[in-house]
Tab-separated table of all heavy atoms in Angstrom:
chain	number	residue	atom	x	y	z
A	137	ALA	N	85.867	-74.281	-34.873
A	137	ALA	CA	85.248	-72.987	-35.187
A	137	ALA	C	84.266	-73.188	-36.332
A	137	ALA	O	84.318	-74.207	-37.026
A	137	ALA	CB	86.318	-71.967	-35.576
A	138	THR	N	83.412	-72.211	-36.538
A	138	THR	CA	82.432	-72.315	-37.621
A	138	THR	C	83.055	-72.099	-38.991
A	138	THR	O	82.567	-72.626	-39.988
A	138	THR	CB	81.283	-71.298	-37.423
A	138	THR	OG1	81.834	-69.989	-37.327
A	138	THR	CG2	80.494	-71.616	-36.175
A	139	ASP	N	84.153	-71.304	-39.052
A	139	ASP	CA	84.853	-71.074	-40.316
A	139	ASP	C	86.283	-70.638	-40.021
A	139	ASP	O	86.657	-70.441	-38.872
A	139	ASP	CB	84.113	-70.057	-41.199
A	139	ASP	CG	83.931	-68.700	-40.531
A	139	ASP	OD1	84.787	-68.298	-39.715
A	139	ASP	OD2	82.919	-68.031	-40.827
A	140	ILE	N	87.090	-70.495	-41.053
A	140	ILE	CA	88.505	-70.163	-40.895
A	140	ILE	C	88.704	-68.793	-40.255
A	140	ILE	O	89.618	-68.602	-39.452
A	140	ILE	CB	89.283	-70.286	-42.235
A	140	ILE	CG1	90.797	-70.160	-42.015
A	140	ILE	CG2	88.793	-69.251	-43.239
A	140	ILE	CD1	91.405	-71.244	-41.172
A	141	ASP	N	87.855	-67.834	-40.584
A	141	ASP	CA	87.986	-66.497	-40.001
A	141	ASP	C	87.788	-66.535	-38.486
A	141	ASP	O	88.537	-65.907	-37.743
A	141	ASP	CB	86.996	-65.517	-40.637
A	141	ASP	CG	87.348	-65.203	-42.088
A	141	ASP	OD1	88.544	-65.239	-42.434
A	141	ASP	OD2	86.419	-64.921	-42.868
A	142	GLN	N	86.793	-67.286	-38.044
A	142	GLN	CA	86.577	-67.410	-36.604
A	142	GLN	C	87.741	-68.155	-35.953
A	142	GLN	O	88.182	-67.791	-34.864
A	142	GLN	CB	85.266	-68.132	-36.285
A	142	GLN	CG	85.034	-68.208	-34.782
A	142	GLN	CD	83.949	-69.169	-34.356
A	142	GLN	OE1	83.468	-69.975	-35.148
A	142	GLN	NE2	83.565	-69.089	-33.102
A	143	ALA	N	88.254	-69.181	-36.616
A	143	ALA	CA	89.378	-69.944	-36.070
A	143	ALA	C	90.603	-69.040	-35.877
A	143	ALA	O	91.238	-69.055	-34.820
A	143	ALA	CB	89.714	-71.112	-36.987
A	144	ILE	N	90.916	-68.236	-36.881
A	144	ILE	CA	92.057	-67.312	-36.779
A	144	ILE	C	91.805	-66.299	-35.676
A	144	ILE	O	92.700	-66.009	-34.865
A	144	ILE	CB	92.334	-66.629	-38.135
A	144	ILE	CG1	92.864	-67.668	-39.129
A	144	ILE	CG2	93.310	-65.465	-37.971
A	144	ILE	CD1	92.956	-67.171	-40.555
A	145	TYR	N	90.607	-65.761	-35.614
A	145	TYR	CA	90.260	-64.786	-34.577
A	145	TYR	C	90.453	-65.377	-33.185
A	145	TYR	O	91.042	-64.743	-32.302
A	145	TYR	CB	88.811	-64.319	-34.783
A	145	TYR	CG	88.303	-63.419	-33.683
A	145	TYR	CD1	88.675	-62.075	-33.658
A	145	TYR	CD2	87.479	-63.903	-32.678
A	145	TYR	CE1	88.220	-61.242	-32.641
A	145	TYR	CE2	87.023	-63.078	-31.664
A	145	TYR	CZ	87.403	-61.750	-31.644
A	145	TYR	OH	86.960	-60.925	-30.629
A	146	GLU	N	89.971	-66.609	-32.977
A	146	GLU	CA	90.086	-67.253	-31.667
A	146	GLU	C	91.542	-67.529	-31.298
A	146	GLU	O	91.951	-67.329	-30.153
A	146	GLU	CB	89.270	-68.546	-31.640
A	146	GLU	CG	87.769	-68.339	-31.769
A	146	GLU	CD	87.163	-67.528	-30.632
A	146	GLU	OE1	87.688	-67.553	-29.504
A	146	GLU	OE2	86.141	-66.851	-30.879
A	147	VAL	N	92.349	-67.966	-32.260
A	147	VAL	CA	93.758	-68.234	-31.982
A	147	VAL	C	94.501	-66.926	-31.712
A	147	VAL	O	95.357	-66.867	-30.823
A	147	VAL	CB	94.413	-69.052	-33.117
A	147	VAL	CG1	95.914	-69.160	-32.922
A	147	VAL	CG2	93.783	-70.441	-33.194
A	148	LYS	N	94.169	-65.856	-32.435
A	148	LYS	CA	94.780	-64.549	-32.143
A	148	LYS	C	94.461	-64.112	-30.719
A	148	LYS	O	95.329	-63.606	-30.002
A	148	LYS	CB	94.288	-63.484	-33.131
A	148	LYS	CG	94.967	-63.521	-34.463
A	148	LYS	CD	94.470	-62.374	-35.355
A	148	LYS	CE	95.158	-62.368	-36.676
A	148	LYS	NZ	94.705	-61.263	-37.539
A	149	LYS	N	93.200	-64.294	-30.294
A	149	LYS	CA	92.822	-63.951	-28.921
A	149	LYS	C	93.624	-64.785	-27.916
A	149	LYS	O	94.083	-64.259	-26.903
A	149	LYS	CB	91.320	-64.178	-28.702
A	149	LYS	CG	90.455	-63.074	-29.236
A	149	LYS	CD	88.961	-63.185	-28.952
A	149	LYS	CE	88.518	-64.223	-27.967
A	149	LYS	NZ	87.063	-64.338	-27.834
A	150	MET	N	93.781	-66.071	-28.198
A	150	MET	CA	94.566	-66.944	-27.315
A	150	MET	C	96.010	-66.449	-27.219
A	150	MET	O	96.584	-66.389	-26.137
A	150	MET	CB	94.541	-68.388	-27.829
A	150	MET	CG	93.205	-69.062	-27.715
A	150	MET	SD	93.163	-70.650	-28.577
A	150	MET	CE	94.371	-71.576	-27.630
A	151	TYR	N	96.584	-66.088	-28.365
A	151	TYR	CA	97.967	-65.596	-28.405
A	151	TYR	C	98.105	-64.296	-27.619
A	151	TYR	O	99.009	-64.139	-26.802
A	151	TYR	CB	98.411	-65.413	-29.856
A	151	TYR	CG	99.796	-64.835	-29.981
A	151	TYR	CD1	100.917	-65.623	-29.794
A	151	TYR	CD2	99.978	-63.488	-30.280
A	151	TYR	CE1	102.192	-65.099	-29.899
A	151	TYR	CE2	101.243	-62.950	-30.387
A	151	TYR	CZ	102.353	-63.764	-30.195
A	151	TYR	OH	103.611	-63.220	-30.289
A	152	GLU	N	97.202	-63.368	-27.860
A	152	GLU	CA	97.266	-62.060	-27.203
A	152	GLU	C	97.046	-62.161	-25.696
A	152	GLU	O	97.554	-61.338	-24.937
A	152	GLU	CB	96.262	-61.098	-27.845
A	152	GLU	CG	96.672	-60.704	-29.256
A	152	GLU	CD	95.584	-59.993	-30.045
A	152	GLU	OE1	94.450	-59.850	-29.545
A	152	GLU	OE2	95.877	-59.590	-31.185
A	153	SER	N	96.297	-63.154	-25.246
A	153	SER	CA	96.085	-63.328	-23.803
A	153	SER	C	97.109	-64.288	-23.199
A	153	SER	O	96.948	-64.745	-22.071
A	153	SER	CB	94.659	-63.814	-23.532
A	153	SER	OG	94.473	-65.105	-24.080
A	154	GLU	N	98.152	-64.580	-23.967
A	154	GLU	CA	99.289	-65.399	-23.526
A	154	GLU	C	98.901	-66.825	-23.153
A	154	GLU	O	99.538	-67.470	-22.321
A	154	GLU	CB	100.040	-64.711	-22.392
A	154	GLU	CG	100.602	-63.364	-22.808
A	154	GLU	CD	101.348	-62.640	-21.715
A	154	GLU	OE1	101.559	-63.231	-20.635
A	154	GLU	OE2	101.718	-61.483	-21.940
A	155	GLU	N	97.867	-67.339	-23.808
A	155	GLU	CA	97.507	-68.741	-23.652
A	155	GLU	C	98.381	-69.628	-24.533
A	155	GLU	O	98.464	-70.831	-24.306
A	155	GLU	CB	96.034	-68.958	-23.999
A	155	GLU	CG	95.069	-68.287	-23.048
A	155	GLU	CD	93.633	-68.448	-23.482
A	155	GLU	OE1	93.180	-69.598	-23.656
A	155	GLU	OE2	92.959	-67.412	-23.665
A	156	ILE	N	98.991	-69.037	-25.548
A	156	ILE	CA	99.914	-69.759	-26.421
A	156	ILE	C	101.316	-69.308	-26.058
A	156	ILE	O	101.659	-68.125	-26.200
A	156	ILE	CB	99.620	-69.474	-27.912
A	156	ILE	CG1	98.204	-69.934	-28.254
A	156	ILE	CG2	100.654	-70.143	-28.800
A	156	ILE	CD1	97.748	-69.544	-29.638
A	157	ILE	N	102.112	-70.223	-25.582
A	157	ILE	CA	103.476	-69.922	-25.135
A	157	ILE	C	104.457	-70.717	-25.996
A	157	ILE	O	104.313	-71.933	-26.153
A	157	ILE	CB	103.667	-70.305	-23.651
A	157	ILE	CG1	102.619	-69.635	-22.767
A	157	ILE	CG2	105.085	-69.985	-23.187
A	157	ILE	CD1	102.675	-68.130	-22.741
A	158	PHE	N	105.433	-70.029	-26.531
A	158	PHE	CA	106.462	-70.687	-27.332
A	158	PHE	C	107.620	-71.109	-26.434
A	158	PHE	O	107.914	-70.463	-25.432
A	158	PHE	CB	106.985	-69.743	-28.418
A	158	PHE	CG	105.977	-69.472	-29.503
A	158	PHE	CD1	105.194	-68.333	-29.476
A	158	PHE	CD2	105.816	-70.360	-30.549
A	158	PHE	CE1	104.269	-68.079	-30.466
A	158	PHE	CE2	104.881	-70.124	-31.547
A	158	PHE	CZ	104.113	-68.982	-31.504
A	159	ASN	N	108.280	-72.207	-26.822
A	159	ASN	CA	109.481	-72.653	-26.110
A	159	ASN	C	110.494	-73.175	-27.125
A	159	ASN	O	110.286	-73.059	-28.331
A	159	ASN	CB	109.122	-73.694	-25.043
A	159	ASN	CG	108.542	-74.952	-25.630
A	159	ASN	OD1	108.982	-75.447	-26.677
A	159	ASN	ND2	107.525	-75.497	-24.979
Side-chain angles (χ1 to χ4, degrees):
T138 56
D139 59 31
I140 189 64
D141 291 330
Q142 182 194 12
I144 291 170
Y145 174 78
E146 295 298 331
V147 172
K148 281 183 179 181
K149 280 185 11 185
M150 291 171 64
Y151 177 78
E152 290 168 356
S153 65
E154 299 180 7
E155 294 176 56
I156 299 173
I157 305 297
F158 290 97
N159 63 40

